[in-house]
Every structure is written in C-alpha cells, then in structure tokens.
Amino acid sequence: SRPILDMSYSRHFLDFQGSSIPSSMKKLVVTKLSQNFREAVTLQQDSPVPLPGDGDLLVRNRFVGINASDINYSAGRYDTSVKPPFDIGFEGVGEVVALGLSASADYTVGQAVAYVKAGSFAEYTIVPAKQAVPLPSVKPEFLTLMVSGATAYLSLKELGDLSEGKKVLVTAAAGGTGQFAVQLAKKAKCHVIGTCSSDEKGGFLKSIGCDRTINYKTENVESVLRKDYPKGVDVVYESVGGKMFDLALNALAIKGCLIVIGFIAGYQNPTGLQPIKAELLPAKLLKKSASVRGFFLNHYLSDYKMALQHLLKMYERGDLVCEVDFGDMSPEGKFTGLESVFRAVDYMYMGKNIGKIVVELPHSVSSKL
C-alpha cells in the first residue's frame, strides 16, 4: 500500500527524504512586455513555494527547457489579455515532492515527471496530475521530447505525408526541434537536407542521418537547392522565417508542402515578423499546386500523449538521439541555475546551440533528493 501524502491543507511539510521544502523560492516572472527577454523578465528571489491542491503535484524542477518562443511569451504575443506580472517557462523535468489526495491515486512522492505548462522557470512548479508525464528517471533527454520532439512528430505526421523517397528540407536542422524532424524523416525513408550555420553542426546532422547538409554561412542555399534538387523538395520543415522562408518556398516541388513551425528570425523584432515576399505567394502556390501549412502544438493537444509515448519508446529503444546542449561551450560555461536562463536565451538567438538548450537547476545543500 502506497502512503498517501495529502499536502493540500499543509503549511509545513517534509519531502520523502526528510529534507525540508523551503517556504520561499526563486522564479522568473515577466514584469514588462518586451521582445527583449532581459528587459521583460525579472528573477524574483523570495516567491512563496506554492501548495498543491487536491489534484496537483508539487514538482521540484531539475531541468528546464529553453524555447525560441519564450521571447514570444514574454512579449505578450500569445494571449494579449494576459498582463504582467506572469510566470514564464514552458517545460520542466523533476521530482514530485508533495501532492494532493486525489493526485496520490496515480503519483507518489519521489516520482520523476515531466510536464508542459507555463511557469517552469522556477525552483518548484505546481502541475495538475492530469498534465504530468511519469518518467522512469530524471534525465534532461526526456525534456527534449516534451515540446521540440512532439512538435516535429505531430507536424510531420499530420501535415507532412512522408513516404519513402520524398525529399525533405529541414531549416535550423541542428536545433532543438530540427534534430527530431531530421531523424523522423529518415525513419520514413526520406532523403533529408538540413540547413545549419557551422561545420560542427553539419557533422552532428550527418551523425543523425542527414543526407545533405548546407552550411548557409559558407554555401549559397538557393544555388545548392537549384543545382542539387532541380525538381524541388516535397516537404519543408521551416522554423526560421524571413529570407529562409522565401528560399524554401521557391524550392518546393510540384504538390510540395511547406510546414511553418516558427519564424525565429522575427521573434526579437518589435513587430515579430521579418518581411517575406508574400505578394507572390498565390501565384507560386498555384503554379506548383503547393501548400503552406502552419503548425502550433497547442492545437494538437488531443494527440499529444500518444505522440509523447511513441517518442519515449523510440528513445528507450535507442532509435532516437535526443541531443542536449547545456551551454558548456558558451563563454561563461554551463547553464546552471535560474540566473543562467537569460544567457541560455541569448545563446539560442546567437544560433550557437546543437540540440535542445537545457538549464540545470541544482538542489540546495539541505536536500537529499
């Protein structure tokens, strides 16, 4: 029989190792709307540790994921009705340190879980038990699947219509979500082309199966595509926007499909968009019977658990590389502690990361977890 720990009414409690859960914690809060993350976000040192309600888990975060869209969130672009201050950070992995009575039917203290929910840039986060994903252990690799992996899997499954021999172009291919688009397209026996910004990234892409890498710093993407793929590419997994969107659109084959999963080139702009040659879009699409489809993970949440279970099984079988970038190669070293989230966001926008950027939150000394 599992001991039930009903924390919904408690003000002072201990976790399962007998180490104290503090009454206050650090967290990041958006205090001003701005596409400049450092301007928008404040590190609060002494926020109260929240108490779980009946159906909730209190998760002590061990690893939190950095997403390009963190900047969209801090700029207030997702929900214009929400006004500062509000919590930030989309995903975390950690242990359950306390839980409500109903939640204890499915979870136990000490259990490793992952979640996608606003407010992960904090030492502790309340997660409704229904939204948590139980994990075999606390590993940063699991975090790569929560938003990045699920986005690649669901967008390609729902919109990509992948089949053997199709040519798939992945932009920002060595990034957090690009790495999965490359691997999933290869699993579907497609020919995969990946754009990246360094030879080191190109090497990584080859190691995960990319057939042709294009380093856009040293090669002209447009001429490579025209020369090597004169009939065009069948599917584009596009996350850059601006000029890269235009190039990708022009490179579409007859009946090709361009899937927009982001436009990172525009996120730091006040308007959020870099201009594209959209006035020619109807003519270009008509000429090729081509399509442009947008994909936003929140609209596919009914399939989310299925996607995640599939990806977790692939990873556990060794069929999926989940590359994590802790910023070891960044000027000030590894991203550790909430203070380093600011550096991690900068690092992403400088295009330095290979794989998913993850920040580690170390335990305080008093904890035995």
Side-chain angles (χ1 to χ4, degrees), residues 88-297:
I88 191 167
F90 291 132
E91 53 186 342
V93 166
E95 300 99 347
V96 176
V97 290
L99 69 172
L101 195 53
S102 308
S104 66
D106 299 306
Y107 288 92
T108 179
V109 169
Q111 191 162 354
V113 292
Y115 63 89
V116 175
K117 177 184 178 282
S120 70
F121 292 163
E123 291 177 318
Y124 296 85
T125 302
I126 292 281
V127 180
K130 288 190 181 118
Q131 290 178 26
V133 179
L135 297 175
S137 60
V138 174
K139 283 172 77 174
E141 285 77 12
F142 292 127
L143 194 55
T144 65
L145 302 174
M146 298 301 293
V147 171
S148 301
T151 295
Y153 177 82
L154 284 169
S155 63
L156 290 172
K157 179 176 179 287
E158 296 293 324
L159 311 178
D161 192 25
L162 300 185
S163 57
E164 187 169 354
K166 279 196 172 179
K167 294 178 179 64
V168 178
L169 170 65
V170 180
T171 64
T177 185
Q179 65 171 328
F180 295 111
V182 167
Q183 293 177 79
L184 293 167
K186 280 308 292 178
K187 297 265 180 275
K189 300 186 172 162
C190 297
H191 175 93
V192 183
I193 309 131
T195 71
C196 61
S197 60
S198 71
D199 291 342
E200 189 191 359
K201 290 184 180 189
F204 166 68
L205 289 173
K206 285 184 178 135
S207 78
I208 59 171
C210 203
D211 297 288
R212 172 69 160 98
T213 62
I214 308 174
N215 177 349
Y216 63 80
K217 295 274 176 80
T218 58
E219 294 178 273
N220 182 304
V221 179
E222 195 171 12
S223 21
V224 169
L225 290 172
R226 201 179 293 128
K227 177 173 163 286
D228 293 2
Y229 305 96
K231 291 188 174 171
V233 296
D234 303 294
V235 179
V236 182
Y237 184 86
E238 217 295 275
S239 61
V240 177
K243 287 177 183 154
M244 188 62 84
F245 175 90
D246 286 328
L247 285 179
L249 182 69
N250 292 340
L252 278 180
I254 304 260
K255 295 185 183 173
C257 175
L258 187 153
I259 304 170
V260 177
I261 64 113
F263 44 95
I264 190 171
Y267 292 173
Q268 287 180 313
N269 291 0
T271 59
L273 286 166
Q274 276 208 330
I276 56 166
K277 295 179 179 141
E279 63 275 10
L280 301 172
L281 193 61
K284 286 178 179 180
L285 296 179
L286 178 66
K287 189 178 162 191
K288 294 178 174 177
S289 294
S291 63
V292 175
R293 301 286 303 269
F295 178 89
F296 187 45
L297 186 59

Side-chain angles (χ1 to χ4, degrees), residues 127 130 151 193-194 209 239 288 303-304 313 323 325 328 332:
V127 180
K130 288 190 181 118
T151 295
I193 309 131
S239 61
K288 294 178 174 177
D303 299 320
Y304 179 75
K313 280 187 192 133
E323 189 70 17
D325 191 333
D328 294 300
E332 293 168 60

Side-chain angles (χ1 to χ4, degrees), residues 36-38 268 341-352:
N36 179 329
F37 191 81
R38 286 179 183 269
Q268 287 180 313
V341 167
F342 298 97
R343 284 201 298 120
V345 169
D346 289 344
Y347 181 73
M348 169 175 280
Y349 278 88
M350 288 188 287
K352 299 292 188 192

Side-chain angles (χ1 to χ4, degrees), residues 69-90:
S69 46
D70 288 327
I71 278 190
N72 285 337
Y73 200 59
S74 69
R77 288 181 185 140
Y78 285 161
D79 184 351
T80 47
S81 68
V82 179
K83 302 290 180 241
F86 54 86
D87 297 347
I88 191 167
F90 291 132

